[in-house]
């Protein structure tokens, strides 16, 4: 029996691609890539992929690619999309890992849910050819031609699994472009009923998130801890080496507290409930007062003339002091803010 490794995000396209191969009698294993930059997951729990694998009746292997993506972000060989999204490089990374899994399990080919022309950066014909060449160069010549894209296979050259008769090309699809009409029809035909909406996906395509990522890159501060912090709070840059992250809810306060490092300052209101604020980097007396003012502004005490803010070093609860500040005004907050209006797009 032929075997395949299917890259399974849990979205409709990846489910359809796996199913088109499954119904031809191929043994399929799902491979899910978890990431700190995936907006569809919380706490790295791949619920959509787990549900998809269960619905397809296939095993699922999970690989965290966060560290690899962070290294790519520092030096994206093929550049960024409209945000901070190095989509071509990330696809190469995922397919290299898919090729490694293919070799490890003795599978015959790799399956992806890509659709020709669906994404403006990573799913154009030129990009798909480039990705395949880079994966072959890194993973070995025996990977060449073994990446099957069942949803658009008929619009692409014949692959090895088709040529060897492991799958029937006539039972694959030739979908191109960004409309999803055929995918919806195909889901009904293949009895796939549970799948998330196509909204969301990679946070690196979100303009506001991208600004924060590029800010970290510009200051040489991007690592896994700072990437996790990017998912929560309001972010400010009051000085070149100072960052301020202000929680917006108790849940975010808890996350911020949990991601504090030695050397960080932590701020809370002394007399009222409110945000937890993390201050990281060079912290002068002036920067401490600014961060405290931003903390006060994000609380119900924002209308008071003076607010008492508790300041302590992270992991040193006994060394707290209290300072009084006026809540920051709109002009100051907007000047220092890394929180523009949200949007998305590759």
């Amino acid at each position: 029996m032929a075997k395949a490794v299917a890259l399974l995000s849990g979205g409709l396209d990846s489910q359809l691609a796996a199913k088109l191969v499954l119904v031809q009698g191929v043994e399929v294993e799902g491979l899910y890539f978890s990431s700190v930059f995936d907006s569809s997951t919380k706490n790295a729990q791949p619920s959509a992929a787990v549900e998809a694998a269960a619905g397809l009746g296939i095993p699922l292997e999970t690989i965290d690619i966060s560290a690899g993506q962070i290294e790519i972000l520092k030096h994206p060989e093929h550049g960024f999309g409209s945000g901070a999204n190095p989509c071509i490089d990330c696809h190469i990374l995922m397919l290299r890992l898919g090729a490694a899994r293919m070799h490890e399990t003795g599978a015959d080919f790799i399956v992806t849910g890509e659709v020709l022309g669906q994404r403006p950066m990573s799913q154009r014909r030129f990009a798909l050819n480039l990705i395949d060449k880079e994966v072959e160069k890194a993973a070995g010549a025996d990977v060449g031609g073994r990446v099957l894209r069942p949803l658009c296979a008929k619009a692409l050259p014949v692959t090895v699994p088709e040529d060897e008769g492991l799958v029937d090309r006539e039972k694959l699809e030739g979908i191109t472009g960004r409309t999803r009409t055929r995918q919806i029809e195909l889901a009904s035909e293949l009895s796939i009923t549970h799948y998330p909406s196509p909204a969301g996906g990679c946070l690196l395509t979100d303009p506001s998130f991208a600004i924060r990522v590029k800010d970290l890159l510009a200051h040489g501060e991007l690592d896994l801890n700072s990437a996790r912090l990017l998912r929560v709070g309001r972010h400010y840059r009051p000085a070149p080496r100072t960052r301020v992250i202000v929680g917006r809810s108790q849940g975010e306060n808890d996350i911020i507290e949990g991601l504090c490092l030695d050397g960080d300052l932590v701020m809370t209101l002394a007399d009222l409930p409110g945000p937890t604020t993390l201050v990281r980097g060079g912290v002068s007396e002036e920067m401490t007062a600014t961060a405290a003012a931003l903390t006060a502004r994000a609380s119900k005490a924002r209308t008071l003339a003076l607010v008492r803010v508790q300041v302590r070093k992270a992991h040193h609860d006994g060394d707290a002091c209290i300072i009084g500040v006026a809540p920051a005004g709109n002009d100051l907050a907007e000047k220092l803010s890394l929180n523009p209006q949200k949007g998305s797009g590759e």
Side-chain angles (χ1 to χ4, degrees), residues 302-335:
R302 67 177 66 91
T303 59
L304 301 180
L306 191 70
V307 180
R308 288 168 17 108
V309 177
Q310 179 178 273
V311 183
R312 61 179 171 84
K313 292 182 179 179
H315 312 305
H316 292 80
D317 292 344
D319 298 331
C321 67
I322 294 176
I323 60 175
V325 295
N330 290 339
D331 289 346
L332 178 62
E334 291 174 6
K335 177 183 177 182

Side-chain angles (χ1 to χ4, degrees), residues 225 229 255-262 264-266 276-278 280 314-315:
N225 177 277
L229 280 168
I255 292 171
I256 289 170
E257 189 80 47
L259 290 172
C260 288
L261 302 175
D262 289 340
D264 292 341
L265 289 184
V266 182
T276 294
T277 295
L278 181 153
R280 180 171 292 174
H315 312 305

Side-chain angles (χ1 to χ4, degrees), residues 19 23 37 42 79 83 120 140 147-148 154 187 195 204 208 218 252 257 283 306 308-309 320-321:
K19 186 74 170 185
V23 297
F37 302 117
K42 293 183 179 180
V147 178
L148 177 67
K154 290 181 180 179
Y195 50 88
L204 295 169
S208 62
E252 290 195 346
E257 189 80 47
V283 182
L306 191 70
R308 288 168 17 108
V309 177
C321 67

Side-chain angles (χ1 to χ4, degrees), residues 7 48 110 112 123 171 179 235 238 307 314 320:
L7 309 191
I110 303 165
T112 87
Q123 294 181 23
K171 295 179 180 178
T179 62
H235 292 243
V307 180

Side-chain angles (χ1 to χ4, degrees), residues 122-134:
S122 62
Q123 294 181 23
R124 294 174 297 152
R125 190 178 298 274
F126 167 79
L128 295 180
N129 290 338
L130 172 64
I131 289 166
D132 288 352
K133 288 178 181 178
E134 290 293 324

Side-chain angles (χ1 to χ4, degrees), residues 106-188:
D108 299 290
F109 59 99
I110 303 165
V111 173
T112 87
E114 294 163 301
V115 172
L116 181 63
Q118 187 176 85
R119 299 289 184 183
M121 182 177 183
S122 62
Q123 294 181 23
R124 294 174 297 152
R125 190 178 298 274
F126 167 79
L128 295 180
N129 290 338
L130 172 64
I131 289 166
D132 288 352
K133 288 178 181 178
E134 290 293 324
V135 172
E136 181 180 349
K137 183 167 62 177
D142 58 336
V143 177
R146 293 188 180 274
V147 178
L148 177 67
R149 299 175 171 93
L151 292 180
C152 59
K154 290 181 180 179
L156 297 172
V158 175
T159 60
V160 171
E162 295 167 89
D163 189 51
E164 293 182 347
L166 302 179
V167 294
D168 184 349
R169 181 177 176 87
E170 291 307 309
K171 295 179 180 178
L172 303 177
E173 295 287 320
I175 303 170
T176 62
R178 307 192 72 169
T179 62
R180 297 177 62 80
T181 303
R182 178 54 187 155
Q183 284 96 316
I184 301 300
E185 292 175 351
L186 194 57
S188 178

